[in-house]
Amino acid sequence: MGKIRISLLAKELGVKSNLLIDKCHEKGLSHITHHANTLISDQAEMIRQLFKPTPPITPAKEEPKVKETPPIRETEQKQGDKTVLQRSGSVKVVQPAKIVMIPKSQPLPQRMVKVAPSKTFWKKKRPSTVVPVKRKEPEVQVTDLQKPVVKEKETRVTMEPPITVKDLSAKLGIRANEIITKLLLGHNVRSTINQILAEDIVQLLGIEYGVEIEIKKKELVEERDFIAEQISTKAEDMVYRAPIVTFLGHVDHGKTSLLDSIRQTNVAAGEVGGITQHIGAYKVETNGKHVVFLDTPGHEAFTAMRARGANITDVVVLVVAADDGVMPQTEEALNHAKAANVPIVVAVNKIDKPDANPLRVKQQLASLELISEEWGGKTQFVETSAVTKKGINTLLERLLLESEILELKANPRNPARGVVLEAHLSEGRGVVANVLIQDGTLRQGDIVLCGKTFGRVRLITTDRGIEVTEAGPTTPVSVSDFSAVPDAGDKFYVVGDIQKAREIAQGRQKKDRESALAKHQHVTLDSLYSKIAEGKVKEIKVILKADYKGSVEVLKKALEELSTQEIKVKILHCGVGGITESDVLLADASDAIVIGFYVTTEDKARILAEDKGVDVRLYKIIYDATNEIKSAMEGMLEPESKEVVLGQVEIRLVYNISKFGNVAGCYVKTGKITRNSSVRLIRNTIIIYDGKLESLKIVKDDVKEVRAGFECGLKIANYDDIKVGDIVEAYEVQKFARSLPV
């Protein structure tokens, strides 16, 4: 009886594996939990029947009837001394021309034409002659479509900073002197006509003049302005692209040996040890398909690139030594991979060692929420050995399977775009950048924009050291030359205009200089409330380091228990030992707070934290750490609202005042009623209306409140249906500070 894998059946049916797994569950096949699970032929046929298409029934459409418009006819009729043009929809009245004779003794009006009798009129004065001018009265066309257009005053305008008094005057149509006077008297701001105003002052002035001013900062020309026009996502142009894989793991667990073993096994002898190490990536072919490996196995480099926005890795291989098990750096690498939100394949390496125990590795990783598919999880485990080459091909097959599930595709017809792996200044070639093309095709002569630099591609070299004229998707190459050395992690794009590339690069340089003066402000315990108020934070991300494993577990549990429905405490990474550069890099990339318990911060990490603006807190008492975060969280909680009844008022008389409405003469039975309190109108124990007071008086005097035992007059805002005997209940909503549960 034949079997078929879920991923292959999904590819056959043209659907997602997750959808296929759901259909299996609907049919009682609960053992199917992963795309690598298999179905027997009968089960597969049953699932195929669910995806058989049914022919759609399309109802016949009636052709819309076109309403014919009668032709416009025009007739001319004589009515006395007037000629009337009649046409469908309008009447045009043409007045006959009038001849006006003006005596010579009277001065010529503005519409008269004075004609000189000779060209030499300036030599000898001659009497001028008056020529009668035919003056036509304006033609009047009577039509219902002509209406006067009244231009409404703008109530919303958009301005770009910097904004001066002169700019504001021109935009609002208000004299500059008036604005300067208002600034001085109303805002205590002395200014001149060319002085740049603060944005909040500009918006306040707009409110005072009844105009909403939207300050829209001029955006730099970025790649999004032209990339969308260049990229084509037509299905017929898309082709399979190789997955990009990064190896992570603990020191001395065999990452480099495993990479070297893969390279020697699957790359021709002429390609071994070439320029691969300098490119930073290389391709491996298996079963007619390719896998691209990044030569940056250290998780610090992995996180540093992710911090720059270069999420280029499709799959992470977590390497764990079978004889050593999960170590602190293994757990740290796992947290980095989870933070990047990419699929993880576990390579249980050094399986050839006598004391290898792969079962212990699976158990340890299961406690870290990385469960093998053999145990009902979704993570693929492969036993490998760099010495005996065991499991190498299986690992490559699993990586290809993951790439099929991800449906990685690219369009070679697009202009190339990708990311810089590393760059340097070569003595013979100038600036050389080692890049990975993610989409499109890079050709010699292309104009490339890369971070704060730009240039024209003059030389393309593959990872094997071979010069080529073009390179397609998912290909690591070395290119030259650029105007300056780009940073690792910078994205590059092919553009059609070198002037545009220069403009964008210079704009980015300017932006970097400005941001150097005002660096990015990370979340701190002091700024947490303002971040929450702005809607920028929904959870507190914490990196936890302590002196002992037991302390880590206790502190982790105590912090996580502080979570509420409104704000969560999420532990991104926890470990034993001092605070390192890797911890600061992860906090910088994830906008987290670093908490250390009975540990110190390394010198390089301290300098890096100050440079990146990462908040590092050190404690010696667990309760100090939990109480400080608890206090910060309590300040972020929305205050609790509670309704308090102030008093009840009985309506005894109703007066109707013209242009004012119904006014109630009342008696305060209990408590009090205030001018600012909310009120309910109650009739026969049923709430008729809930609103606010418009006025509260004793006789003719306005008062702020009236207490029990006194009479008063009141008017309910926007409501007149009041009757004798109704009860007006006064209440207010009070807010109380909340605290976290003990």
Side-chain angles (χ1 to χ4, degrees):
M1 186 176 293
K3 293 184 179 181
I4 185 170
R5 185 175 288 172
I6 289 292
S7 59
L8 295 178
L9 183 58
K11 190 174 182 180
E12 174 191 329
L13 297 174
V15 297
K16 299 284 187 181
S17 296
N18 292 337
L19 177 60
L20 211 58
I21 293 172
D22 293 340
K23 293 295 183 183
C24 290
H25 291 172
E26 292 177 6
K27 292 299 181 180
L29 305 176
S30 57
H31 66 283
I32 302 299
T33 59
H34 194 259
H35 55 75
N37 297 142
T38 58
L39 294 172
I40 61 177
S41 58
D42 293 342
Q43 294 171 340
E45 186 61 31
M46 176 180 63
I47 297 301
R48 286 190 184 97
Q49 296 296 325
L50 298 177
F51 290 91
K52 279 193 174 182
T54 56
I57 301 175
T58 56
K61 295 184 179 180
E62 295 183 1
E63 293 186 1
K65 296 181 180 180
V66 180
K67 186 177 179 180
E68 295 184 357
T69 304
I72 298 175
R73 297 181 179 179
E74 185 176 281
T75 59
E76 183 175 317
Q77 295 181 0
K78 284 283 186 176
Q79 294 182 3
D81 58 346
K82 297 182 180 179
T83 301
V84 180
L85 299 179
Q86 291 186 343
R87 57 190 299 178
S88 55
S90 66
V91 178
K92 185 175 181 181
V93 181
V94 181
Q95 299 288 350
K98 294 182 180 180
I99 299 176
V100 181
M101 299 297 294
I102 301 177
K104 293 182 180 180
S105 58
Q106 296 183 5
L108 292 177
Q110 194 173 6
R111 293 181 60 85
M112 295 299 115
V113 179
K114 186 174 182 180
V115 181
S118 172
K119 293 184 179 179
T120 58
F121 68 92
W122 55 275
K123 293 182 179 179
K124 187 176 181 181
K125 292 185 180 180
R126 294 186 181 183
S128 59
T129 58
V130 177
V131 179
V133 179
K134 293 183 178 181
R135 183 172 59 192
K136 291 186 178 181
E137 295 294 330
E139 297 180 353
V140 179
Q141 186 175 356
V142 181
T143 175
D144 295 335
L145 300 177
Q146 288 187 344
K147 293 183 178 179
V149 179
V150 180
K151 186 177 179 181
E152 297 181 357
K153 180 183 177 182
E154 290 184 336
T155 59
R156 182 184 179 92
V157 298
T158 303
M159 301 187 71
E160 293 181 355
I163 301 172
T164 64
V165 173
K166 183 179 180 180
D167 298 333
L168 193 61
S169 171
K171 198 72 174 179
L172 300 182
I174 299 170
R175 296 180 61 184
N177 290 342
E178 182 181 339
I179 296 176
I180 293 172
T181 303
K182 185 177 281 291
L183 284 170
L184 181 61
L185 299 179
H187 303 278
N188 197 25
V189 175
R190 296 178 180 272
S191 64
T192 61
I193 192 169
N194 293 319
Q195 184 169 334
I196 298 174
L197 300 175
E199 295 181 6
D200 54 345
I201 294 294
V202 171
Q203 291 177 331
L204 283 174
L205 287 173
I207 293 172
E208 292 174 6
Y209 286 116
V211 179
E212 182 182 353
I213 300 177
E214 180 185 1
I215 299 177
K216 189 174 183 180
K217 295 183 179 179
K218 184 178 180 181
E219 295 185 2
L220 294 173
V221 181
E222 288 291 345
E223 59 269 9
R224 63 174 175 271
D225 298 329
F226 56 85
I227 287 299
E229 301 176 0
Q230 297 184 138
I231 293 178
S232 171
T233 56
K234 293 181 180 179
E236 60 269 20
D237 295 336
M238 305 301 287
V239 298
Y240 166 84
R241 75 165 176 84
I244 303 170
V245 181
T246 299
F247 275 47
L248 300 177
H250 190 69
V251 177
D252 199 29
H253 273 204
K255 296 186 298 294
T256 304
S257 300
L258 201 56
L259 284 166
D260 289 341
S261 178
I262 291 172
R263 180 167 29 189
Q264 293 169 5
T265 304
N266 297 277
V267 182
E271 301 171 6
V272 177
I275 200 171
T276 301
Q277 293 295 329
H278 301 288
I279 291 289
Y282 57 89
K283 269 189 176 182
V284 167
E285 183 178 353
T286 177
N287 296 331
K289 295 184 178 180
H290 291 88
V291 179
V292 177
F293 291 93
L294 290 185
D295 204 0
T296 54
H299 55 271
E300 291 185 16
F302 176 84
T303 305
M305 293 188 71
R306 187 170 65 85
R308 294 190 183 99
N311 294 325
I312 59 175
T313 301
D314 298 316
V315 184
V316 164
V317 175
L318 183 65
V319 181
V320 186
D323 62 333
D324 206 5
V326 175
M327 301 298 287
Q329 204 171 5
T330 307
E331 187 175 347
E332 188 175 351
L334 175 59
N335 291 328
H336 282 253
K338 285 182 177 180
N341 194 26
V342 293
I344 301 172
V345 175
V346 178
V348 184
N349 200 26
K350 299 186 179 182
I351 199 69
D352 58 297
K353 291 290 187 73
D355 53 346
N357 188 352
L359 180 61
R360 183 183 62 171
V361 173
K362 293 181 180 179
Q363 291 172 340
Q364 291 174 332
L365 290 177
S367 65
L368 299 176
E369 302 178 355
L370 205 64
I371 303 172
S372 169
E373 61 181 14
E374 298 176 5
W375 295 358
K378 296 183 178 181
T379 305
Q380 298 189 64
F381 282 65
V382 182
E383 296 181 1
T384 61
S385 171
V387 177
T388 64
K389 307 296 187 293
K390 178 182 177 181
I392 298 296
N393 290 329
T394 305
L395 177 62
L396 294 174
E397 290 175 2
R398 295 296 176 89
L399 293 174
L400 290 174
L401 178 60
E402 287 291 343
S403 68
E404 288 181 6
I405 301 302
L406 295 173
E407 296 183 355
L408 304 172
K409 292 184 178 181
N411 185 356
R413 296 186 179 183
N414 285 333
R417 59 190 179 95
V419 67
V420 176
L421 301 176
E422 60 181 10
H424 63 280
L425 186 62
S426 174
E427 192 170 319
R429 296 171 58 189
V431 177
V432 178
N434 301 328
V435 303
L436 179 64
I437 303 170
Q438 294 175 289
D439 188 32
T441 300
L442 183 67
R443 299 177 176 84
Q444 280 187 350
D446 283 345
I447 300 168
V448 177
L449 169 67
C450 182
K452 300 184 289 294
T453 68
F454 67 97
R456 190 181 296 273
V457 177
R458 303 194 183 279
L459 184 65
I460 304 176
T461 309
T462 66
D463 58 342
R464 295 173 291 173
I466 302 173
E467 293 185 11
V468 294
T469 58
E470 63 179 36
T474 328
T475 305
V477 293
S478 174
V479 298
S480 61
D481 60 343
F482 292 92
S483 58
V485 179
D487 296 327
D490 280 348
K491 298 177 182 179
F492 78 88
Y493 302 91
V494 170
V495 297
D497 186 359
I498 195 167
Q499 182 60 34
K500 182 181 289 187
R502 181 183 290 106
E503 180 184 348
I504 296 173
Q506 292 174 351
R508 288 174 175 174
Q509 292 173 8
K510 181 180 178 182
K511 190 175 181 180
D512 275 6
R513 287 194 296 268
E514 293 173 354
S515 62
L517 300 176
K519 291 184 179 179
H520 169 65
Q521 298 294 322
H522 284 289
V523 172
T524 65
L525 291 182
D526 300 326
S527 67
L528 209 49
Y529 178 76
S530 60
K531 296 284 185 182
I532 287 285
E534 295 170 5
K536 296 181 179 178
V537 178
K538 293 182 180 179
E539 61 185 6
I540 304 177
K541 298 176 183 177
V542 176
I543 295 171
L544 180 61
K545 301 297 289 288
D547 53 346
Y548 292 101
K549 187 70 174 178
S551 302
V552 170
E553 296 299 327
V554 172
L555 196 52
K556 178 183 177 183
K557 183 179 179 182
L559 292 175
E560 287 179 340
E561 288 177 349
L562 295 176
S563 298
T564 66
Q565 292 183 350
E566 298 175 51
I567 181 168
K568 307 289 183 183
V569 177
K570 182 178 181 181
I571 308 297
L572 281 185
H573 168 66
C574 56
V576 176
I579 298 170
T580 64
E581 287 182 276
S582 176
D583 300 322
V584 176
L585 282 170
L586 180 58
D588 178 49
S590 306
D591 211 7
I593 298 167
V594 182
I595 292 181
F597 179 74
Y598 254 103
V599 294
T600 58
T601 307
E602 295 180 358
D603 291 339
K604 291 183 178 179
R606 185 182 297 108
I607 296 171
L608 183 63
E610 292 175 358
D611 182 58
K612 299 290 185 181
V614 174
D615 189 14
V616 179
R617 301 284 179 122
L618 302 178
Y619 301 95
K620 292 184 178 180
I621 301 174
I622 290 180
Y623 296 111
D624 288 346
T626 56
N627 289 339
E628 192 163 338
I629 291 185
K630 182 178 179 181
S631 299
M633 292 176 64
E634 286 178 345
M636 297 181 297
L637 294 175
E638 287 290 332
E640 182 179 357
S641 299
K642 185 177 181 181
E643 187 180 286
V644 178
V645 176
L646 300 178
Q648 288 191 335
V649 179
E650 181 184 358
I651 297 179
R652 295 186 173 180
L653 291 172
V654 177
Y655 304 95
N656 183 267
I657 301 175
S658 60
K659 298 183 181 180
F660 195 68
N662 290 339
V663 177
C666 307
Y667 175 77
V668 183
K669 297 174 64 177
T670 59
K672 65 178 181 179
I673 183 171
T674 65
R675 173 67 183 81
N676 297 324
S677 61
S678 300
V679 293
R680 298 190 191 94
L681 183 66
I682 302 173
R683 185 178 299 159
N684 298 326
T685 69
I686 298 175
I687 298 175
I688 303 298
Y689 182 75
D690 194 328
K692 301 286 290 185
L693 286 179
E694 185 174 326
S695 63
L696 179 65
K697 296 186 178 185
I698 295 181
V699 190
K700 295 183 179 181
D701 298 327
D702 290 319
V703 292
K704 291 183 178 180
E705 70 175 30
V706 182
R707 295 187 173 273
F710 289 90
E711 294 180 342
C712 65
L714 59 85
K715 172 73 172 68
I716 300 177
N718 303 320
Y719 193 76
D720 284 336
D721 184 18
I722 57 176
K723 297 181 180 179
V724 175
D726 289 350
I727 299 296
V728 177
E729 185 176 74
Y731 70 95
E732 66 181 9
V733 178
Q734 298 179 355
K735 294 187 176 182
F736 302 90
R738 293 167 55 197
S739 59
L740 294 174
V742 181

